Amino acid sequence: MAAFRTDLGIDLGTASILVYVKGKGVVLNEPSVVAIDQYTNKFLAVGEEAKKMLGRTPGNIIALRPMRDGVISNYQITERMLKYFFTKAIGKTIFKPRVIVCVPSGITEVEKRAVLEASNHAGARRTFLIEEPIAAAIGAGIDITEPNGNMIVDIGGGTTDVAVISLGGIVISRSVKIAGDECNEAIARYIRKKHNLMIGERSAEEIKIQVGSAYPREKDVSIEVRGRNLLTGLPKNIKIYSSEALEALAEPVSHIIETIHYVLERTPPELAADIADKGIIMTGGGALLYGLDKLITEKTGIKARLVDDPISSVAIGTGRALDWVKFLDSDKTGSDSIRINY
């Protein structure tokens, strides 16, 4: 039976879901958005198609994100969404997959239990959890079993996880609910306050990707954005410059820097020396914000660098952790958390 079973690694993110199939790599990368008919409770679209509907649906259809701040906010929808992605990734099979799901380092036991139950009810034979910083480090190709300190800054859609890892475990960590989504909201608030223009979530995200900055650019670039004028109620086009995006993102970015400082201040001296030599490793889609690595380097005095594939690194690490499933599946204690210390 084991020969026919396909094990899965899931990066269950606030903004997107990535599915890693053992032996194939990352096979799915779609937004964690679902469109539902309120009258029939039927799924109309999932993933990329559903994201296009955000803010554009009639009264009987709702497009929503069942994940908020890295945890499940709508259990039933998350379970159905996972079932959809399981089937899409491996097809219909009588052999249920074993699944590893990565979770933020700061979530509660209740939130962990919700993830486990949602995955098992969606069709997993057994579900294991791995903390995001551990998965990110594995995905970045770091040998975390060594007695050396490695600092991981994983900036996703809903949470930023900062952790120091040594000997296969987390020594010190902090998870804050300030990441990509908070940056989008900061941009929307800034434009509403300065330009009296209401823009949607997708427009704010486009501004962040195209002209968003954490560090001053050499050239002030711009993007044209359309929204609703709050004074006249009519559609209006304006240009937003990277210097404005820099100002809009100052607050969430400063919180991320403060979190990194918090973890560094509490890191044991020997591990802090290792981090000073190796640098800070940045993963996650939020780490792609222009100039964030330069700002972290400037504020901490430690070189910060992006991994080769920041968006997929957590999913890749989760997938590579599937090698430990055979140990855990035979574990008589019933443990559902992965510890890389075999």
Side-chain angles (χ1 to χ4, degrees):
M1 285 178 64
F4 296 100
R5 185 186 299 116
T6 304
D7 295 330
L8 302 177
I10 309 287
D11 178 4
L12 186 60
T14 304
S16 59
I17 290 181
L18 286 83
V19 181
Y20 183 105
V21 175
K22 192 170 184 180
K24 295 182 180 179
V26 177
V27 297
L28 278 179
N29 179 359
E30 295 205 36
S32 48
V33 183
V34 177
I36 300 172
D37 188 321
Q38 292 189 90
Y39 299 152
T40 63
N41 204 30
K42 182 183 177 182
F43 271 30
L44 300 178
V46 182
E48 196 63 53
E49 287 185 22
K51 187 178 181 181
K52 294 174 183 176
M53 298 182 185
L54 281 172
R56 294 176 172 171
T57 56
N60 65 310
I61 298 172
I62 53 171
L64 54 84
R65 286 179 170 181
M67 302 291 297
R68 276 290 165 194
D69 300 327
V71 297
I72 294 173
S73 64
N74 189 317
Y75 177 85
Q76 290 183 333
I77 301 300
T78 301
E79 181 187 316
R80 291 172 65 187
M81 181 177 69
L82 280 173
K83 190 172 185 178
Y84 171 86
F85 283 122
F86 286 179
T87 304
K88 190 170 181 179
I90 61 174
K92 291 185 178 180
T93 174
I94 60 171
F95 302 105
K96 291 183 176 182
R98 290 175 299 191
V99 177
I100 298 180
V101 182
C102 70
V103 293
S105 59
I107 71 169
T108 65
E109 289 301 318
V110 173
E111 290 165 341
K112 285 181 181 179
R113 186 57 51 192
V115 173
L116 288 168
E117 289 182 0
S119 176
N120 288 336
H121 290 162
R125 185 169 77 86
R126 190 173 175 192
T127 302
F128 305 95
L129 303 181
I130 185 170
E131 292 173 312
E132 279 182 15
I134 295 283
I138 296 170
I142 297 167
D143 184 358
I144 62 172
T145 61
E146 294 292 320
N148 298 315
N150 294 284
M151 176 173 253
I152 305 293
V153 178
D154 178 46
I155 308 171
T159 59
T160 293
D161 278 280
V162 181
V164 174
I165 297 168
S166 179
L167 288 170
I170 293 176
V171 179
I172 177 80
S173 71
R174 192 173 198 188
S175 179
V176 293
K177 294 177 180 180
I178 296 170
D181 286 351
E182 182 63 29
C183 289
N184 296 344
E185 290 170 15
I187 289 170
R189 281 196 305 269
Y190 177 89
I191 293 173
R192 186 166 65 246
K193 186 177 180 180
K194 184 170 181 180
H195 297 283
N196 286 313
L197 193 75
M198 180 77 78
I199 63 169
E201 184 182 335
R202 290 184 65 204
S203 298
E205 186 175 25
E206 191 64 25
I207 293 168
K208 179 185 71 178
I209 293 169
Q210 297 296 330
V211 302
S213 301
Y215 198 83
R217 295 179 184 244
E218 293 179 5
K219 184 180 178 182
D220 201 10
V221 295
S222 67
I223 183 175
E224 192 169 281
V225 62
R226 176 178 292 178
R228 176 165 55 85
N229 190 313
L230 292 172
L231 299 177
T232 65
L234 300 174
K236 183 182 177 182
N237 286 18
I238 61 168
K239 273 191 175 182
I240 298 296
Y241 291 86
S242 56
S243 55
E244 292 181 289
L246 177 66
E247 187 180 341
L249 293 170
E251 187 177 344
V253 166
S254 69
H255 281 303
I256 292 171
I257 300 293
E258 285 170 15
T259 304
I260 295 170
H261 270 287
Y262 175 91
V263 174
L264 281 171
E265 287 167 3
R266 287 158 178 78
T267 301
E270 296 295 336
L271 297 180
D274 291 338
I275 294 165
D277 289 338
K278 295 181 179 181
I280 296 169
I281 297 149
M282 299 171 62
T283 69
L288 292 168
L289 181 65
Y290 177 87
L292 186 56
D293 54 341
K294 294 179 185 176
L295 186 66
I296 292 172
T297 301
E298 184 180 280
K299 295 293 184 181
T300 63
I302 301 171
K303 177 70 175 175
R305 65 177 178 87
L306 274 168
V307 297
D308 293 335
D309 189 355
I311 293 174
S312 300
S313 59
V314 172
I316 292 168
T318 305
R320 288 176 181 169
L322 289 167
D323 292 338
W324 282 272
V325 162
K326 59 180 178 289
F327 296 104
L328 288 164
D329 208 26
S330 59
D331 183 7
K332 302 303 180 185
T333 64
S335 172
D336 51 38
S337 294
I338 289 184
R339 296 287 180 268
I340 312 301
N341 55 5
Y342 293 99

